[in-house]
């Protein structure tokens, strides 16, 4: 029985504006009555900077539904990556005949799993886990890159996680999404500098990094943020902060 | 057996008040006490339950009924202690099972959910039953006895390593029951366990429940809307009204005698009352059809359909879904397809609609066919939408619009029909089925029955010549049943051909023709081939070996060294793919596997393309030095080759065990990953179902319109993600009911040993790396 988290009800009347909610303690901790199925009145929503609603406290208290949602989202993205893999290695590989560092512009979708995972669940490790699960699922049936997919997924996930950590796990708007998408690129680019693009001249390598950062920011960050909002509108995120924010904006 | 009714509605949130401790008498096993339970999820203005009081003595069997929205599922979840697993809200009142809060002892309350397979966690049935035992930390040695006892109790006699995806709906529900029983509950809760099953499977589940409850003296609460089969089982009938308060409570016969009529009026299927009458469609709503009565609108001859399922390891399994079926759909007639589940009824509808590849011939009447081709399979989406309508089993997968009215008007607008006429027809139909007041609501927020009614209305607004409805009335209450059959018969009377698949005797009785299908004979499966040596290694060793290709490629300084490394890799690959008939394991017997080298070559093609393009890019951007380019290209090959050989043999089902036990990663995320990996094969089904529904409604993607392709991709992505989120939420309830929420320290039912093949593989894969490092240029 989940006993250690408080609900976030944006419709609560005693919401405090803009201040971070301290980690709530269970109401019956130390009180004399016997613990109940749940004994709480609606709590003020935990809000971070910029008004994003945060996940329930404690932040590392992953609920079962959080874990399963990250796993299922990762699997869904991994399956989508099978299709994108065929596209990436198929038609547009012809582009490689042209201006090659522009190849990095197609890297954005690979980072989307981490960005969306972080935006939906809003807990430390969410972005990393989602990206790694997507990498595992896209690797296991046997894709073009094999084990390097896993390494890439880990590096991209770390990058997205670092972005959310830099914002103190408190901001989850478009800025956070763009930053997470952008920061998924550097470690991945550094890895590719040692494997695929090792012998390129440095200016091409840097252009490649720049293209990946741009693609990550726009596609993974921008489209990922839009995707999260579209999912919230369908009602599928009603137990996650994006769903709470939607209810908030509708009741306002 | 005392029950206090809560007469008034309570709107204010009640804070928990200190309740006096109960007297010292030990409660008997399975005693339930609910006082003042009230629940309002955030986001809804009205509470679902308002101060419900209920007492159930130990061993009693309660049948809980009420209209949809009356809070029956909410009450069950509160009793199981999983009410806040997914939803957040205001909860007040007390719930006690055996005097303790539900969830204090994991598994004290067993919960079986409505959708078969929603709570499946593992690849095999034995492992799935052991899930709850793992969560409570039972030592591995004690598990087999409990698992065997639970499976025997529900009469699942198949071997314990039977894959869970191979079970029928009824067997999956019995598996869920066994999973709950393994934890030895005192209270058993069943949330519409047979609603989505055909009569044969439903009967088997009911029999299992009766056996189990009698043998173990469990207190039971069953929620069902078809009362007939459960009346013998239940001691007590509790009726909730639409506001979540108890309106009747007592022995079933008494309650039905008093309240039978009002229950029927609310839509509950009460035995002894006449079946519902389909709601009549006013004349003139539909115009006369193009074909005369009895004319064959759609003709299917010798249809054979093979279904292939892609498994996570990349292999495919194909089964014959339909063999040599003939059907004629005639205008002005309802044609019912009946047969056991697995007999291919849904597949026949798909073949008729041209939504699935098939052998055999499907022909539409020449007046309906747009141009030369008479097979709907070849038509464009607009033509398909104009002539055919298809309503799938899961109505929510067809939702495309933001409001109910737009949803109903989708096909008419896509076909370019006169807006005013379609609008009035849509409004009339929505009013007839009881959705008139929800015209501006979001279809995704409707209940299952409302979505079903909306799907049927959306399919007929444009008056298609042929309506194909897949299980249109399954799991429906009387009111929805009457609405759906009314619309179907109204369309029939207007001259369209209707084909429905059904298990419902009432629908069959009202049909004009019936065709019975039987399960198709499967081509005899060849014995499984032997597994190669690589498959004997565990997933961690294989992934490590594949990852070691990366430093081997990076470290190699020159293309000549890379060639040497590659030669070593190829030699090791030949060894890894060798499949000798050693060993006692049954996977090592059987014919030699075919096509190992071919599949490696096929998997290497993208890698080789990548190698060429990397070499080319290096040559172009670098110093136009062929040697450097060759090194870069071969580096890619060295990195990618081990993966092409080995990753295919990673056992995804065992991956979770190895990650958790060998690498000691946190248990709960690993188990969540393993459970999600089981669902990979279902995601492909969701994808195809959504794209089929869009094609049939006239909004499918066409090559001519890139905008339609993008819209379809977006809709498919959102649809896939939404379904996966819903599946995650349903599974979370099932897993928490079996004690997963607090299972930080859990045990593992299957060992994940590091054996000799693993060491061999890991050491062997160091060889190319060593060569790359030390080989002379």
């Amino acid at each position: 029985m989940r006993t250690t988290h408080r609900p976030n009800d944006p419709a609560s009347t005693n919401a405090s504006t803009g201040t971070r909610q301290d980690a709530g303690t269970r109401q019956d901790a130390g009180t004399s009555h016997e613990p109940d199925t749940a004994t709480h009145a609606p709590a003020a929503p935990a809000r971070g900077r910029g008004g994003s609603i945060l996940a329930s406290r404690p932040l590392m208290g992953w609920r079962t539904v959080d874990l399963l949602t990250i796993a299922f989202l990762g699997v869904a993205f991994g399956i989508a990556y099978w299709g994108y893999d065929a596209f990436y290695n198929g038609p547009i590989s012809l582009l490689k005949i042209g201006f090659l560092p522009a190849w990095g512009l197609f890297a954005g979708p690979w980072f989307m799993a981490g960005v969306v995972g972080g935006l939906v669940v809003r807990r430390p490790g969410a972005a990393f886990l989602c990206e790694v699960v997507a990498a595992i699922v896209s690797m296991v049936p046997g894709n073009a890159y094999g084990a390097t997919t896993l390494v890439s997924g880990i590096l991209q996930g770390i990058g997205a996680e670092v972005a959310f950590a830099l914002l103190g796990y408190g901001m989850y708007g478009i800025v956070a999404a763009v930053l997470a998408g952008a920061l998924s690129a550097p470690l991945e680019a550094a890895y590719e500098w040692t494997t695929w693009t090792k012998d390129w001249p440095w200016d091409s390598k840097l252009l490649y990094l720049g293209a990946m950062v741009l693609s990550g920011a726009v596609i993974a960050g921008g489209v990922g943020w839009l995707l999260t909002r579209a999912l919230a509108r369908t009602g599928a995120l009603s137990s996650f902060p994006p769903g709470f924010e939607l209810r908030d904006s509708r009741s306002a | 057996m005392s029950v206090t009714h809560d007469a008034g509605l309570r709107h204010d949130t009640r804070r928990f008040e200190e309740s006096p401790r109960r007297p010292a008498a030990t409660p008997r096993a399975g005693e339930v006490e609910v006082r003042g339970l009230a629940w309002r999820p955030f986001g809804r203005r009205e509470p679902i339950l308002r101060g419900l009081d209920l007492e159930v003595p130990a061993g009693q069997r309660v049948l809980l009924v009420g209209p949809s929205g009356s809070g029956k599922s909410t009450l069950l979840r509160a009793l199981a202690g999983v009410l806040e697993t997914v939803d957040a809200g205001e909860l007040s009142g007390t719930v006690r099972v055996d005097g303790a809060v539900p969830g204090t002892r994991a598994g004290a309350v067993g919960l079986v959910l409505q959708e078969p397979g929603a709570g499946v966690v593992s690849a095999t049935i034995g492992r799935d039953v052991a899930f709850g035992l793992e969560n409570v930390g039972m030592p591995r040695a004690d598990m087999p006895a409990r698992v065997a006892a639970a499976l025997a109790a529900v009469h699942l006699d198949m071997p314990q390593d039977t894959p869970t995806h191979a079970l029928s709906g009824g067997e999956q529900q019995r598996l869920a029951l066994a999973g709950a029983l393994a934890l030895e509950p005192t209270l058993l809760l069943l949330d519409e366990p047979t609603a989505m099953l055909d009569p044969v499977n439903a009967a088997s589940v009911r029999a299992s429940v009766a056996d189990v409850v009698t043998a173990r003296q469990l207190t039971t609460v069953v929620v069902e809307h078809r009362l007939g089969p459960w009346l013998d089982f239940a001691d007590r009938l509790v009726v909730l009204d639409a506001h979540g308060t108890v309106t009747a409570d007592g022995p079933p016969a008494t309650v039905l005698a008093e309240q039978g009529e009002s229950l029927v009026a609310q839509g509950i299927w009460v035995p002894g009352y006449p079946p519902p009458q389909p709601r009549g469609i006013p004349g003139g709503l539909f115009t006369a059809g193009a074909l005369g009565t009895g004319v064959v609108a759609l003709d299917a001859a010798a249809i054979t359909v093979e279904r292939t399922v892609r498994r996570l390891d990349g292999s495919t399994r194909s089964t014959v879904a339909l063999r040599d079926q003939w059907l004629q759909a005639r205008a002005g007639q309802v044609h019912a397809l009946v047969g056991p589940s697995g007999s291919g009824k849904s597949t026949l509808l798909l073949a008729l609609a041209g939504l699935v590849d098939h052998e055999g011939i499907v022909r539409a009447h020449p007046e309906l066919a747009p141009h030369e081709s008479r097979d709907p399979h070849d038509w464009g989406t607009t033509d398909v939408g104009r002539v055919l309508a298809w309503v799938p089993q899961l109505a929510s997968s067809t939702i495309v619009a933001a409001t109910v009215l737009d949803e109903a008007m989708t096909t008419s607008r896509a076909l370019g029909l006169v807006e005013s006429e379609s609008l009035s027809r849509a409004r009339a139909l929505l009013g007839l089925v009881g959705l008139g007041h929800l015209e501006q609501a979001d279809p995704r927020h409707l209940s299952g029955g409302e979505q079903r009614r909306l799907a049927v209305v959306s399919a007929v607004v444009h008056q298609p010549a042929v309506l194909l409805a897949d299980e249109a009335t399954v799991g429906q209450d009387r009111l929805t049943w009457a609405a759906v059959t009314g619309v179907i018969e109204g369309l029939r009377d207007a001259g369209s051909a209707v084909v429905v698949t059904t298990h419902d005797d009432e629908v069959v009785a009202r049909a004009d023709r019936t065709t019975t299908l039987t399960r198709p004979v499967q081509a005899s499966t060849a014995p499984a081939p032997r597994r190669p040596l690589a498959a004997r290694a565990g997933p961690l060793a294989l992934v490590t070996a594949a990852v070691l290709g990366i430093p081997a490629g990076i470290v190699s300084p020159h293309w000549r060294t890379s060639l040497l490394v590659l030669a070593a890799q190829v030699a090791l690959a030949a060894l890894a793919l060798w499949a000798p008939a050693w060993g006692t394991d049954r996977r090592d017997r059987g014919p030699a596997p075919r096509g190992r080298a071919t599949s490696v070559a096929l998997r290497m093609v993208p890698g080789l393309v990548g190698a060429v393009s990397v070499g080319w890019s290096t040559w172009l951007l670098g110093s136009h030095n062929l040697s450097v380019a060759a090194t870069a290209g071969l580096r890619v090959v060295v990195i990618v080759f081990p993966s092409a050989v080995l990753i295919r043999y990673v056992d995804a089902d065992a991956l979770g065990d190895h990650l958790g036990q060998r690498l000691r990663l946190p248990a709960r995320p690993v188990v969540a990953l393993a459970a999600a990996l089981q669902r990979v094969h279902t995601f492909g089904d969701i994808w195809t179902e959504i794209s089929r529904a869009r094609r049939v409604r006239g909004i499918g993607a066409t090559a001519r319109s890139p905008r339609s392709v993008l819209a379809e991709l977006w809709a498919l992505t959102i649809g896939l993600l939404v379904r996966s989120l819903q599946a995650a939420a349903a599974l979370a309830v099932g897993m928490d009911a079996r004690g997963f929420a607090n299972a930080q320290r859990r045990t593992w039912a299957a060992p994940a040993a590091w054996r000799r093949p693993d060491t061999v593989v890991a050491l062997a894969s160091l060889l190319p790396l060593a060569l790359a490092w030390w080989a002379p240029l």
Side-chain angles (χ1 to χ4, degrees):
Chain A
M1 176 67 195
R2 283 295 299 150
T3 55
T4 56
H5 74 274
R6 295 183 115 183
N8 291 315
D9 181 12
S12 154
T13 50
N14 54 342
S16 56
T17 52
T19 55
R20 180 102 56 113
Q21 180 79 13
D22 284 333
T25 53
R26 273 285 286 156
Q27 281 190 338
D28 58 345
T31 56
S32 55
H33 54 69
E34 47 188 8
D36 196 355
T37 50
T39 54
H40 39 254
R47 283 180 184 276
R49 297 189 289 281
S52 309
I53 294 185
L54 307 181
S56 56
R57 296 285 160 172
L59 208 52
M60 280 304 286
W62 285 70
R63 306 170 294 171
T64 304
V65 69
D66 290 328
L67 289 171
L68 285 175
T69 297
I70 287 291
F72 275 64
L73 277 179
V75 170
F77 273 107
I79 292 174
Y81 287 165
W82 293 348
Y84 189 62
D85 214 23
F87 175 69
Y88 194 75
N89 291 306
I92 58 170
S93 55
L94 296 173
L95 275 183
K96 284 180 171 166
I97 301 177
F99 182 56
L100 295 148
W103 190 231
L105 290 175
F106 288 93
W110 302 116
F111 311 154
M112 214 188 292
V115 173
V116 172
L119 288 179
V120 167
V121 171
R122 304 194 181 182
R123 291 183 191 274
F128 177 70
L129 267 177
C130 198
E131 187 67 47
V132 170
V133 171
I136 290 176
V137 170
S138 65
M139 169 184 81
V140 168
N143 67 347
Y145 303 105
T148 66
T149 311
L150 183 59
V151 176
S152 296
I154 291 176
L155 295 174
Q156 291 162 13
I158 290 177
E161 197 62 42
V162 162
F164 287 115
L166 281 177
L167 297 172
Y169 294 109
M171 285 179 69
Y172 292 97
I174 180 73
V175 170
V178 166
L179 186 66
L183 285 187
S184 301
L187 285 176
E188 170 67 18
Y191 170 66
E192 294 198 18
W193 288 344
T194 63
T195 54
W196 313 140
T197 62
K198 189 171 180 187
D199 303 297
W200 283 13
W202 269 102
D203 54 351
S204 297
K205 280 184 178 173
L206 289 173
L207 276 174
Y208 187 61
L209 168 65
M212 283 178 86
V213 169
L214 183 64
S215 175
V218 171
I219 298 180
V223 174
W225 181 74
L226 288 174
L227 188 64
T228 310
R229 276 165 55 106
L231 284 177
R233 273 199 303 273
T234 66
L237 296 181
S238 56
S239 31
F240 295 101
F244 303 149
E245 285 175 352
L246 184 70
R247 272 208 302 269
D248 212 8
S249 64
R250 279 190 178 157
S251 64
Chain B
M1 182 168 66
S2 69
V3 171
T4 47
H5 294 281
D6 192 60
L9 302 172
R10 300 181 195 206
H11 292 283
D12 53 315
T13 310
R14 285 173 57 192
R15 283 185 154 273
F16 174 80
E17 281 138 11
E18 196 162 343
S19 72
R21 287 210 169 261
R22 302 203 74 199
T26 325
R28 287 184 297 151
E31 194 163 345
V32 175
E33 192 191 331
V34 178
R35 295 235 175 277
L37 182 66
W39 168 251
R40 180 184 75 84
F42 296 143
R44 286 175 73 124
R45 257 163 300 169
E46 294 298 314
I48 295 183
L49 292 177
R50 308 153 203 255
L52 183 75
D53 293 327
L54 188 66
E55 274 183 28
V56 182
Q60 190 174 62
R61 309 171 186 189
V62 177
L63 185 57
L64 186 63
V65 298
S68 49
S70 53
K72 311 185 295 287
S73 286
T74 306
L75 176 58
L76 288 193
R77 288 180 188 206
L79 289 175
V82 296
L83 193 53
E84 291 183 294
T85 297
V86 175
D87 296 318
E90 288 171 22
L91 180 61
S92 57
T94 73
V95 176
R96 294 283 178 274
V97 176
D98 293 338
V101 175
T104 319
R105 173 170 88 83
V109 179
L111 180 63
V112 175
L113 300 169
Q114 181 180 41
E115 192 186 330
V120 167
V121 174
S122 304
T124 60
I125 63 175
R127 193 64 196 276
D128 200 75
V129 173
F131 177 72
L133 303 174
E134 290 175 334
N135 290 336
V136 297
M138 179 176 285
R140 182 181 299 149
D142 300 340
M143 288 188 195
R146 289 272 272 264
V147 168
L151 286 173
V154 300
H155 303 296
L156 277 176
D157 307 316
M158 49 205 68
Q160 282 193 15
D161 59 0
T162 310
T164 46
H165 61 76
L167 299 180
S168 69
E171 287 165 343
Q172 282 174 334
Q173 289 295 63
R174 279 151 57 201
L175 179 66
L177 185 59
L181 290 178
L183 288 167
E184 301 196 338
T186 54
L187 173 65
L188 184 63
L189 304 173
L190 301 151
D191 194 350
E192 303 207 35
T194 60
M196 296 174 70
L197 301 178
D198 61 276
V200 170
N201 275 312
S204 75
V205 171
R206 277 193 301 270
S208 284
V209 170
D211 284 344
V212 158
V213 167
T214 313
R216 297 183 184 214
Q217 302 281 315
L218 301 175
T219 313
T220 314
V221 179
V222 181
V223 170
E224 269 290 355
H225 60 266
R226 279 198 184 248
L227 301 188
W230 291 96
L231 286 178
D232 291 333
F233 171 81
D235 303 325
R236 176 178 171 190
L237 183 60
V238 175
V239 180
L240 295 181
D241 69 2
H243 300 293
T245 49
V246 178
T247 56
D249 189 349
T254 323
V255 171
L256 287 182
E258 290 168 19
Q259 295 234 349
E261 297 239 351
S262 85
L263 286 178
V264 166
Q266 287 174 350
I268 296 166
W269 297 88
V270 181
Y273 285 82
Q277 288 300 308
R279 301 182 67 149
I281 303 276
L285 189 62
F286 290 118
T287 56
L291 303 175
T293 309
V295 173
V296 176
L298 207 52
D299 186 5
I303 306 290
T304 301
V305 176
E306 261 192 39
R307 241 185 101 225
T308 49
V309 176
R310 186 178 182 189
R311 307 280 317 285
L312 190 56
D313 61 6
S315 67
T316 53
R317 201 170 43 103
S318 83
T319 50
V320 175
L322 200 60
R323 195 186 282 280
D324 205 28
Q325 277 297 333
W326 296 65
L327 186 84
Q328 288 180 332
R330 293 170 188 273
Q333 292 186 355
V334 172
H335 196 131
L337 293 178
V338 295
S341 40
S343 49
K345 309 187 292 293
S346 305
T347 314
L348 184 54
L349 288 190
L350 290 174
L352 285 171
L355 295 173
V356 73
D357 293 330
H358 59 83
E359 293 165 29
I361 302 173
V362 174
R363 271 186 314 219
H365 194 276
E367 273 190 43
L368 300 176
H371 24 260
E372 322 81 48
S373 168
R374 289 169 66 184
D375 187 341
H377 194 50
D378 307 326
W379 297 352
T381 175
T382 321
D383 296 315
V384 173
R386 187 171 44 84
V387 174
L388 298 169
W390 174 65
V391 183
Q393 253 183 32
L394 199 55
S396 60
S397 54
T398 64
I399 291 176
V400 298
T403 66
V404 165
L405 190 59
D406 288 338
E407 179 75 20
M409 293 290 296
T410 304
T411 312
S412 310
R413 288 184 179 145
L415 297 176
L417 300 179
V418 177
E419 177 86 357
S420 55
E421 195 182 296
S422 304
L423 203 58
S424 65
R425 189 183 293 162
R427 286 214 158 103
L429 284 169
L430 286 174
L432 266 163
V433 300
L435 295 177
H437 62 290
L438 291 169
E439 266 182 23
Q440 295 305 317
D442 187 332
R444 291 189 210 268
H445 299 158
L446 300 181
S447 72
E450 289 165 340
Q451 283 178 346
R452 178 75 55 112
R453 284 179 258 164
L454 176 59
V456 173
V457 165
S458 313
V460 304
V461 167
H462 61 286
Q463 198 170 348
V466 180
L467 173 64
L468 305 165
D470 198 352
E471 298 282 359
T473 60
V474 75
Q476 296 307 305
D477 64 9
R478 290 178 65 109
L479 303 171
T480 308
W481 192 99
V484 166
T485 42
V487 170
I488 287 176
E489 294 192 351
L491 190 68
R492 178 217 32 205
D493 294 336
S496 297
V498 179
V499 184
V500 291
T501 68
T502 185
H503 293 293
D504 195 336
D505 290 333
E506 263 309 305
V507 173
V508 175
R510 300 187 71 90
D512 301 301
R513 280 169 193 263
T514 308
T515 299
T516 310
L517 277 75
T518 51
R519 205 172 280 203
V521 171
Q522 299 295 332
S524 57
T525 48
R530 292 196 293 267
R531 53 177 188 165
L533 287 180
R536 299 180 188 209
L540 292 182
L542 291 174
V543 171
T544 309
V547 167
L548 282 176
I550 302 174
I554 296 175
V555 158
S556 161
H558 193 269
W559 59 267
R560 292 200 204 98
T561 319
S562 297
L563 276 179
L564 189 62
V565 172
L566 189 60
Q569 286 181 331
V570 169
L572 288 173
L575 191 60
L577 291 180
W578 180 39
W582 303 337
T584 51
D585 194 316
R586 75 179 146 81
R587 289 172 292 181
D588 299 326
R589 283 192 282 280
R594 314 255 308 262
R596 284 163 287 173
T598 327
S599 71
V600 169
L602 278 177
R603 258 194 294 279
M604 277 301 292
V605 165
L608 290 171
V609 168
V612 166
S613 69
V614 165
W616 163 257
S617 72
T618 308
W619 184 84
L620 195 64
L621 291 177
S623 48
H624 292 264
N625 184 333
L626 259 181
S627 174
V628 173
T631 308
L634 274 176
R635 180 181 309 126
V636 174
V637 178
V638 166
I639 288 177
V640 173
F641 185 74
S643 304
V645 171
L646 295 175
I647 295 288
R648 185 205 173 298
Y649 298 106
V650 167
D651 185 357
D653 300 333
L655 186 60
D657 284 329
H658 283 261
L659 287 175
Q661 294 178 66
R662 291 259 72 82
L663 292 184
R664 302 210 183 266
L665 296 179
R668 290 178 74 225
V670 164
V671 172
L673 168 66
L677 287 176
Q678 292 308 312
R679 304 301 178 93
V680 168
H681 67 277
T682 62
F683 283 66
D685 294 341
I686 300 172
W687 187 272
T688 47
E689 191 166 288
I690 297 176
S691 75
R692 278 172 186 159
R694 290 178 66 89
R695 174 175 151 82
V696 156
R697 299 185 69 185
I699 51 176
T702 49
R704 270 171 288 142
S705 163
R707 193 166 159 271
S708 74
V709 173
L710 283 176
E712 174 120 340
L713 276 177
W714 182 254
L716 285 172
T717 311
I718 295 276
L720 189 65
L721 289 173
V722 167
R723 281 278 272 272
S724 53
L725 288 168
Q726 290 168 345
L731 183 56
V733 171
M735 285 169 86
D736 271 357
R738 296 206 262 162
F740 189 68
N742 295 320
Q744 276 79 11
R745 299 196 164 286
R746 63 195 305 281
T747 47
W748 304 85
W754 181 273
R755 291 189 303 264
R756 196 149 39 110
D758 297 349
T759 320
V760 168
V761 163
L763 286 179
S765 58
L766 284 174
L767 180 61
L769 179 56
L771 267 180
W773 185 257
W774 280 303
L777 274 169

